[in-house]
Amino acid sequence: MLRLLRPLAAPVTYTRWLHLLVPGAGYSVWIFISPDSPWAPMLFAVPVGLVPGMRLAEGVQAQLLLTPQQRGSADAAISAARGVTWADRWRTVLWLETRMLLAVPVGYATVWLSATAVDLVLTASGNGPSDQWLVRGVDPHWWYALFAPLPLLALLVIVVLSGRLITQAAKQLLGPSPVQRLTALEERTEQLLERNRIARELHDSIGHALTVAVVQAGAARAACDPEFTERALAAIEETGRDALDDLERVLRVLRESETPVGQRPTLVEADRLLDSARGSGAKIDADVSGPLERVPGVVSREGYRILQESLTNVLRHSGTVPVRVRITVADGRLELEVTNPLGDPAAGSAAVPSGGSGLRGIRERAALLGGKAETGPHKGQWRVRARLPLDGLRIAP
C-alpha cells in the first residue's frame, strides 16, 4: 500500500504534471480562438521542431521538470543540446507531437475530474440538481459527498501514469543520439585516464620524497653525528623541493587542462633521482648508454617515473643497500633495469616488496606504451626491468 502511495508524495510527480499542462493550456487557448482547425497546432509543431534551438529548449525544460534528479549529470538520460543533425531535429518534431497528444487528454482530465469532485460536494450540500455532466438533473443527497474523492483519485492515477509515459518518451526522443553517447563515453574515458595518470604522478613523486625523508631522518637519528645529520637535512630539503616542483606541475594540470605535458621530468633528469637515493645512503651503480635526450618525450617521461618508483621501493623495503641501475637506448627501444639485494627481515626491512599500487603502476605505464615490465625476485635479488618501444621513431645519429 505504501508503495502505491509513494508517487503521490514525490515532487517529481507534480512537476511532470505541470510539464503536461503547459502545452495543454496552449491547445485550449487555440481551440477557443479557432475551433474549426483543432489540428493546426500539430502541423505547426513540424517547422518549430526543425529549428536547432528548439531541441535545446525542450531538453532543458524536460530535464528540469521530468528528471530533476539527473539535471546537470553527465549520465542524464535526457540531453540538453542543439539539434545538429536532421535525425535529431525530426526526433524533436516527434517529441513535440507526442507531448501535445498526451497533454490534451491530461489537461481535459484535470479540468473535468476536478470540476466533477466539486460538483458532487455542492450537490450533496443541497444546492439543487447539478448542471454538470455526471450528476445533471439528479436530486441532491448528502451521501454524494462520499463519491467526491473518486474523481480526484482517478485524476491522480492519470497524472502518475502520464508522467511516467511522457518521461519515457522524452528519454527516447530527447535522449542523446548514438554519436553523442559515443562522444560522451570518449570524454569520460579521457577524464578517467587523466585522473589515473595524475594519481600515479602524485604516488610516484610524493611517495619518493616521503620515503627519502623518512630514511634520511631515521639514519640521522641513529648516527648521532652532527655532520651526517647536516647532510641528511640537506638531502631532505633538496628532495622536498623537487617534490614540491612535481606537485606544482600536477596541480597546474588540474587547474589548466591545456598545460603541456612536456613540463614533466624526463630521464634526462635522472641524475637528480640517483643523487637523491645516494643521499639517503644507497650505493648506486649507474650505467647509462645511448642518447637519452633523443628518446621521445612520452617514453622518457614514463621511464623517469618507473625509475623513481623503483628507487623508492628499494629505500622503502630494503633500506640502504647497493643498487644497480642500467639505462640503455638501442635497437629502437628503451631498456631500464634496477636490481638490489633483497632486504633482511631481521633488520626490519621487507624481504620482498608488497604488490601494491607502485608495482602495478610500473607495469601499467609500460603496457600503455606497448612495452613490458617485469617486477620480482631474480637470482637472489629484486629486479625491476622495463622495455619500452620508441613507437617506431628513429633516433637520430
Side-chain angles (χ1 to χ4, degrees), residues 50-346:
L50 293 178
V51 176
M54 181 55 63
R55 185 172 183 83
L56 173 61
E58 288 294 320
V60 171
Q61 185 182 155
Q63 281 189 355
L64 183 63
L65 298 178
L66 299 182
T67 57
Q69 69 280 4
Q70 296 182 357
R71 189 164 63 96
S73 172
D75 300 326
I78 300 175
S79 64
R82 294 171 59 87
V84 179
T85 65
W86 283 104
D88 288 340
R89 297 177 189 180
W90 282 111
R91 288 170 67 203
T92 306
V93 171
L94 184 57
W95 157 253
L96 292 176
E97 303 283 2
T98 302
R99 184 181 178 187
M100 184 70 69
L101 287 174
L102 193 56
V104 171
V106 171
Y108 276 109
T110 300
V111 173
W112 291 108
L113 290 177
S114 299
T116 299
V118 173
D119 187 60
L120 286 171
V121 174
L122 294 177
T123 303
S125 64
N127 290 330
S130 172
D131 292 333
Q132 297 297 328
W133 65 275
L134 184 62
V135 288
R136 178 176 299 173
V138 178
D139 293 333
H141 293 285
W142 66 267
W143 46 268
Y144 284 176
L146 300 178
F147 295 97
L150 295 180
L152 297 179
L153 181 61
L155 176 60
L156 291 175
V157 172
I158 292 174
V159 167
V160 172
L161 295 180
S162 61
R164 292 180 178 177
L165 183 60
I166 195 65
T167 301
Q168 291 300 319
K171 291 179 180 180
Q172 294 295 324
L173 299 175
L174 294 180
S177 64
V179 175
Q180 292 174 327
R181 293 181 186 276
L182 181 60
T183 302
L185 181 61
E186 290 176 349
E187 292 177 354
R188 183 76 176 271
T189 302
E190 290 178 359
Q191 291 176 356
L192 292 176
L193 289 175
E194 181 66 14
R195 291 179 183 178
N196 189 40
R197 185 186 68 78
I198 291 174
R200 287 202 305 264
E201 293 289 326
L202 288 174
H203 174 273
D204 294 347
S205 179
I206 306 303
H208 174 77
L210 291 177
T211 299
V212 170
V214 169
V215 172
Q216 289 281 14
R221 184 179 61 179
C224 297
D225 183 354
E227 184 178 352
F228 182 84
T229 300
E230 184 177 356
R231 292 198 305 269
L233 290 175
I236 292 175
E237 180 182 9
E238 182 181 357
T239 304
R241 292 183 185 277
D242 293 339
L244 286 176
D245 291 340
D246 289 341
L247 180 60
E248 180 62 26
R249 292 189 185 99
V250 174
L251 293 179
R252 193 179 299 117
V253 170
L254 291 175
R255 290 192 296 263
E256 304 175 9
S257 59
E258 299 300 324
T259 299
V261 295
Q263 295 182 9
R264 291 160 50 197
T266 65
L267 277 177
V268 177
E269 306 171 63
D271 286 342
R272 78 174 190 175
L273 289 178
L274 302 177
D275 292 341
S276 176
R278 290 190 181 101
S280 299
K283 302 175 180 60
I284 305 295
D285 174 19
D287 180 16
V288 180
S289 61
L292 288 181
E293 67 279 0
R294 296 175 184 173
V295 174
V298 63
V299 179
S300 188
R301 288 189 292 269
E302 297 303 319
Y304 179 93
R305 292 306 185 191
I306 291 174
L307 175 61
Q308 185 178 54
E309 178 61 25
S310 301
L311 294 176
T312 301
N313 280 335
V314 172
L315 296 174
R316 181 181 299 163
H317 299 289
S318 298
T320 55
V321 298
V323 183
R324 180 185 177 189
V325 178
R326 296 290 181 267
I327 303 176
T328 305
V329 180
D331 300 329
R333 68 172 179 246
L334 168 68
E335 293 191 8
L336 190 152
E337 183 177 279
V338 179
T339 58
N340 64 273
L342 293 175
D344 183 7

